[in-house]
């Protein structure tokens, strides 16, 4: 076979040709060569003889028992697979997806998303804590409904209500009333879990009205998945406070109660003194204008000063009215909280909403994360690149010189 | 007639007939594979069953990266390797003292000559030669199965054939 080295074909090429493993062009050339090369013809005969001799190593047919065992196993497998088919196919699809390059890309993106989402969640939680008291508030000016204040009892809105309140206070308190003894502004606060939450609200307002008081503010809360709550600020005549509180306690279980008194005597006396001085000034200015003998400019100055003093007087009278109202009408803050009973099926709505919000927030975080990465790249990329070039370029020259000189 | 690769994909989709077709095609070749490599015919029968059961269990993980034939013989090759390792660990291994085949059909003398000649070959070369001659695998399939480059398969196959020729057809001395 060493003689084959002189031939244009190696012996193993002849073998590959006989095995059908030689390239077509090379095989065609070999066929042509075999027509006139006796040695190569002898070689092919030898290879064929080897194959034929090997076929003498015969094996009997496989036992029938194999078939029975395998078919029985196939039946078992078939019945088991039918039940798991769907799950396995889905699992296989995911495995194929995650095992490829997409899996690595997905992992990279997921890590970035998790990091960015973590930052966003932290910020969101911080923001939610700051925004926590966001109940549905109904700001109604019930002062206008106060019996004996507005006189009409109609519900008033907007600026009209404010004007009516101001007028009511004026009517309630005549100008510069004299008060004897300490002036106390009384405040009470109750937190109640009523026996019947539905009726507690109207009962509360009815009680306030029957005691000559009124509802100043009203706030309701009805969050999904938690108990309802009602907060009211009531104003009742101070003489009725004790009996009013007694009746309030009958609404249900009082969880918390507190009362406080704030003395405003000094503030009232000071206000009255300033008001008295302002009125005296007003009187002098009026007298001055009535007997004027000076220049026109002096008259104009006096009138301007008179207008200013009158404005001050009106402002102080308003403050005085409010102060007296605080003393005459005690402030009662009532919080009614429903005893919460978990509703069957109520969670599904909350869960859907939460999932939907999570998806929206997830996309938001994803976008924010992408922008954040972009911002970081733009903010720090050039400087990092610059410093790398600055440090690595001399280092590369030093290394190159070291390599060229062989460390000498 | 469906190819092996089509059949295995149909079987993946749950076709029982596809597996039966595969089994009928390969039951004798796989049995022959084990029978030529193991001395114990009963063990060859068991491993043949195990080979098809392994195919059954792992069909969900099958991916058509190469031919089905190379995949199936890959399972069989791994099982033979495991069997040989197990046999070498056993203290009493009368059945496995010599991994040559036991009594076979056909011409007993001719079979014995070929078997003896094969036993004298290098293990790796013999495996390549047997995969080519008896299992009719292509060079590429053998390369995938034994994790060898095609050129290496070709050169080792050539070496094995030359060595076998010297065993079976010694050059007659002209003197």
């Amino acid at each position: 076979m060493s003689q084959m080295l002189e031939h244009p074909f190696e012996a193993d090429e002849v073998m590959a040709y006989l095995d059908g493993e030689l390239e077509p062009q090379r095989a065609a050339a070999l066929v042509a060569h075999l027509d006139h090369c006796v040695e190569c013809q002898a070689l092919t005969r030898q290879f064929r003889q080897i194959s034929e001799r090997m076929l003498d190593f015969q094996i009997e047919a496989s036992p029938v028992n194999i078939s029975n065992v395998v078919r029985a196993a196939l039946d078992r497998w078939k019945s088991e697979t039918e039940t798991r088919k769907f799950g396995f196919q889905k699992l296989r699809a995911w495995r194929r997806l995650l095992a490829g390059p997409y899996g690595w890309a997905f992992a990279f993106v997921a890590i970035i998303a998790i990091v960015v989402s973590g930052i966003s969640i932290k910020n969101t939680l911080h923001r939610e804590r700051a925004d926590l008291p966001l109940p549905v508030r109904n700001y109604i000016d019930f002062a206008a409904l106060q019996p004996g204040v507005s006189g009409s009892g109609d519900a008033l809105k907007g600026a009209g209500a404010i004007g009516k309140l101001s007028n009511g206070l004026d009517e309630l308190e005549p100008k510069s009333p004299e008060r004897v003894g300490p002036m106390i502004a009384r405040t009470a606060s109750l937190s109640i879990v009523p026996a019947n939450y539905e009726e507690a609200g109207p009962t509360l307002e009815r009680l306030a009205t029957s005691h000559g008081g009124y509802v100043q503010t009203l706030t309701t809360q009805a969050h999904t998945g938690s108990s309802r709550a009602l907060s009211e600020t009531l104003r009742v005549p101070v003489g009725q406070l004790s009996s009013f509180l007694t009746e309030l306690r009958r609404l249900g279980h009082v969880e918390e109660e507190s009362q406080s008194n704030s003395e405003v005597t000094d503030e009232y006396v000071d206000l009255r003194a300033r008001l008295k001085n302002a009125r005296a000034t007003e009187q002098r200015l009026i007298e001055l204008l009535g007997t004027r003998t000076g220049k026109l400019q002096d008259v104009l100055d006096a009138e301007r000063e008179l207008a200013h003093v009158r404005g001050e007087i009106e402002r102080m009278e308003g403050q005085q009215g409010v102060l007296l109202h605080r003393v005459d009408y005690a402030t009662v803050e009532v919080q009614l909280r429903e005893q919460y009973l978990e509703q069957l099926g109520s969670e599904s709505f909350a869960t859907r909403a939460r999932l939907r919000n999570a998806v929206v927030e997830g996309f938001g975080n994803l976008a924010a994360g992408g922008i954040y990465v972009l911002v970081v790249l733009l903010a720090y990329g050039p400087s990092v690149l610059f410093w790398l070039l600055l440090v690595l370029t001399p280092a590369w020259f030093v290394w190159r010189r070291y390599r060229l000189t062989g460390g000498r | 007639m469906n190819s092996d690769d089509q059949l295995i994909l149909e079987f993946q989709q749950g076709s029982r007939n596809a597996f039966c077709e595969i089994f009928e095609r390969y039951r004798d070749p796989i049995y022959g594979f084990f029978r030529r490599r193991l001395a114990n015919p009963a063990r060859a029968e068991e491993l043949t069953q195990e080979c098809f059961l392994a195919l059954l269990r792992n069909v969900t993980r099958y991916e058509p990266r190469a031919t089905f034939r190379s995949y199936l013989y890959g399972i069989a090759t791994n099982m033979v390797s495991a069997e040989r390792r197990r046999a070498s660990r056993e203290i009493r291994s009368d059945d496995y003292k010599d991994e040559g085949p036991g009594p076979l059909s056909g011409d007993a003398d001719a079979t014995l000559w070929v078997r003896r000649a094969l036993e004298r070959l290098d293990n790796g070369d013999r495996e390549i030669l047997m995969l080519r001659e008896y299992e009719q695998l292509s060079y590429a399939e053998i390369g995938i199965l034994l994790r060898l480059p095609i050129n290496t398969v070709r050169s080792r196959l050539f070496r094995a054939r030359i060595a076998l020729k010297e065993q079976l057809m010694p050059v007659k001395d002209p003197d």
Side-chain angles (χ1 to χ4, degrees):
Chain A
M1 291 217 183
S2 59
Q3 293 172 356
M4 294 307 297
L5 293 172
E6 298 166 8
H7 290 260
F9 295 95
E10 298 289 338
D12 63 339
E13 282 187 298
V14 176
M15 176 196 75
Y17 163 70
L18 292 173
D19 285 334
E21 297 274 354
L22 201 61
E23 297 85 359
Q25 290 180 343
R26 197 78 178 142
L30 182 59
V31 169
H33 174 72
L34 281 172
D35 284 343
H36 61 269
C37 181
V38 178
E39 290 179 357
C40 287
Q41 289 172 5
L43 186 62
T44 56
R45 276 197 299 278
Q46 288 176 1
F47 279 127
R48 283 183 177 134
Q49 283 173 355
I50 294 168
S51 295
E52 286 168 6
R53 287 294 303 274
M54 284 189 75
L55 291 178
D56 289 340
F57 194 170
Q58 287 295 319
I59 299 293
E60 72 277 10
S62 60
V64 181
N65 189 39
I66 294 175
S67 177
N68 299 333
V69 172
V70 172
R71 285 177 196 278
L74 176 62
D75 291 336
R76 277 199 310 276
W77 177 85
K78 183 77 177 165
S79 60
E80 288 171 6
T81 310
E82 284 298 325
T83 55
R84 295 179 299 182
K85 185 179 177 184
F86 183 66
F88 273 128
Q89 282 179 346
K90 284 175 74 174
L91 198 65
R92 193 168 61 244
W94 275 105
R95 266 191 54 200
R96 280 180 187 163
L97 185 67
L98 294 177
Y102 291 113
W104 289 103
F106 175 76
F108 177 72
V109 171
I111 288 169
I112 289 180
I114 287 168
V115 170
V116 173
S117 298
I119 295 167
S120 300
I121 287 168
K122 188 182 170 188
N123 293 339
T124 306
L125 289 175
H126 181 72
R127 191 171 64 244
E128 281 180 356
R129 275 193 212 105
D131 297 344
L132 196 59
L134 281 173
V136 179
R137 290 168 188 263
N138 297 326
Y139 290 102
I140 302 170
D141 193 347
F142 287 93
L145 301 175
Q146 181 195 354
V149 174
S150 65
S152 65
D154 297 332
L156 302 173
K157 297 177 182 177
I162 296 168
K164 284 247 175 182
L165 174 62
S166 177
N167 293 337
L169 291 175
D170 288 345
E171 290 173 17
L172 185 69
E173 295 298 328
K175 287 182 180 177
S176 304
E178 278 292 345
R179 294 291 178 119
V180 180
M183 296 177 68
I184 307 295
R186 300 189 65 181
T187 307
S189 175
L190 282 91
S191 179
I192 301 170
V193 178
N196 188 335
Y197 180 82
E198 300 291 344
E199 294 179 1
T203 305
L204 198 59
E205 292 173 23
R206 198 165 52 248
L207 279 175
T209 309
S210 65
H211 285 82
Y214 62 95
V215 179
Q216 184 171 316
T217 61
L218 171 67
T219 305
T220 59
Q221 294 178 348
H223 295 295
T224 305
S226 62
S227 58
R228 292 179 291 176
L230 173 71
S231 297
E232 289 194 33
T233 304
L234 305 161
R235 304 301 297 270
V236 291
V238 70
Q240 298 285 323
L241 180 63
S242 181
S243 60
F244 180 69
L245 291 178
T246 304
E247 291 194 46
L248 275 185
R249 292 184 193 108
R250 291 178 189 151
L251 287 176
H253 173 63
V254 179
E255 285 190 325
E256 195 176 332
E257 180 178 348
S258 65
Q259 292 190 38
S260 65
N261 298 325
S262 173
E263 187 171 351
V264 294
T265 311
D266 292 346
E267 191 179 346
Y268 181 74
V269 169
D270 179 57
L271 193 61
R272 271 184 61 82
R274 285 192 288 126
L275 189 58
K276 185 180 177 183
N277 289 337
R279 281 179 180 152
T281 305
E282 180 194 21
Q283 195 58 41
R284 280 200 299 277
L285 285 170
I286 290 170
E287 287 172 0
L288 191 64
L289 285 170
T291 57
R292 66 178 186 277
T293 55
K295 298 175 185 176
L296 179 60
Q297 183 60 42
D298 295 336
V299 173
L300 291 175
D301 288 343
E303 284 185 347
R304 196 177 299 116
E305 184 60 25
L306 180 60
H308 174 71
V309 169
R310 280 178 172 165
E312 283 289 309
I313 288 169
E314 286 174 4
R315 189 175 60 79
M316 283 188 284
E317 283 177 346
Q319 286 179 350
Q320 183 179 257
V322 170
L323 200 57
L324 290 172
H325 189 68
R326 277 180 63 195
V327 173
D328 291 339
Y329 280 76
T331 304
V332 181
E333 292 177 349
V334 182
Q335 287 191 333
L336 298 177
R337 189 171 59 78
E338 182 185 21
Q339 193 166 15
Y340 181 65
L341 297 174
E342 189 69 49
Q343 298 295 315
L344 187 64
S346 62
E347 188 60 24
S348 60
F349 173 75
T351 304
R352 279 200 304 274
R354 285 168 64 188
L355 286 173
R356 183 250 177 212
N357 292 343
V359 168
V360 171
E361 190 170 353
F363 278 109
N365 287 338
L366 185 63
I371 292 169
Y372 178 75
V373 169
L374 200 62
V375 166
V376 168
L377 283 175
L378 291 173
Y380 297 104
S383 62
V384 169
L385 200 62
F386 170 77
W387 287 110
L388 279 176
L389 283 173
L390 201 65
V391 173
L392 291 181
T393 305
W396 183 77
F397 277 113
V398 169
W399 177 79
R400 189 170 172 231
R401 183 178 177 80
Y402 175 82
R403 201 180 63 166
L404 289 172
T405 57
R408 289 189 298 275
Chain B
M1 186 177 176
N2 289 333
S3 69
D4 296 342
D5 299 303
Q6 284 174 322
L7 285 173
I8 191 68
L9 290 177
E10 285 177 20
F11 177 48
Q12 267 192 328
Q13 301 300 317
S15 170
R16 188 179 188 280
N17 292 336
F19 182 82
C20 292
E21 178 68 26
I22 289 171
F23 177 66
E24 289 305 323
R25 284 185 191 182
Y26 282 99
R27 56 179 292 180
D28 285 338
I30 291 294
Y31 177 72
F33 175 90
F34 288 116
R35 188 73 182 91
R36 286 191 179 94
R37 287 164 175 80
L38 301 173
N40 190 338
R43 191 65 190 140
E45 182 183 335
E46 288 170 5
L47 288 183
T48 305
Q49 291 170 5
E50 285 296 320
C51 183
F52 284 104
L53 296 183
L55 175 65
L56 202 60
R57 283 193 295 269
N58 298 309
V59 70
T60 52
R61 294 205 293 269
Y62 173 77
E63 292 177 12
R65 290 175 183 162
T67 61
F68 168 73
R69 195 166 54 154
S70 59
Y71 173 73
L72 185 60
Y73 281 112
I75 296 174
T77 303
N78 290 337
M79 293 177 81
V80 164
S81 301
E83 180 70 9
R84 284 173 178 161
R85 282 197 299 274
R86 190 181 69 80
S88 68
R89 284 197 300 270
E90 284 187 358
I91 299 170
R92 291 187 63 191
S93 55
D94 295 341
D95 292 341
Y96 301 98
K97 276 179 182 173
D98 182 0
E99 287 297 340
L104 299 164
S105 65
D107 187 343
D109 288 341
T111 298
L112 192 63
W113 272 107
V114 176
R115 206 188 78 184
R116 290 276 165 81
L118 284 171
E119 283 171 3
R120 291 192 186 98
L121 297 182
D122 172 79
N123 288 342
D125 294 351
R126 180 175 62 228
E127 191 61 38
I128 292 172
L129 181 61
M130 290 178 79
L131 286 171
R132 174 63 211 164
E133 291 292 344
Y134 297 125
E135 276 73 47
Q136 296 289 305
L137 295 187
S138 68
Y139 293 0
E141 287 171 332
I142 295 170
I144 290 168
L145 204 64
L146 303 179
R147 297 187 178 86
L148 293 173
I150 289 181
N151 286 336
T152 305
V153 171
R154 190 164 98 172
S155 62
R156 292 181 69 173
L157 180 62
F158 178 74
R159 191 170 65 193
R161 276 177 167 148
I162 297 304
L164 189 69
K165 171 183 164 288
E166 289 169 359
Q167 296 290 332
L168 294 176
M169 297 177 282
V171 178
K172 292 175 183 174
D173 192 345
D175 298 329

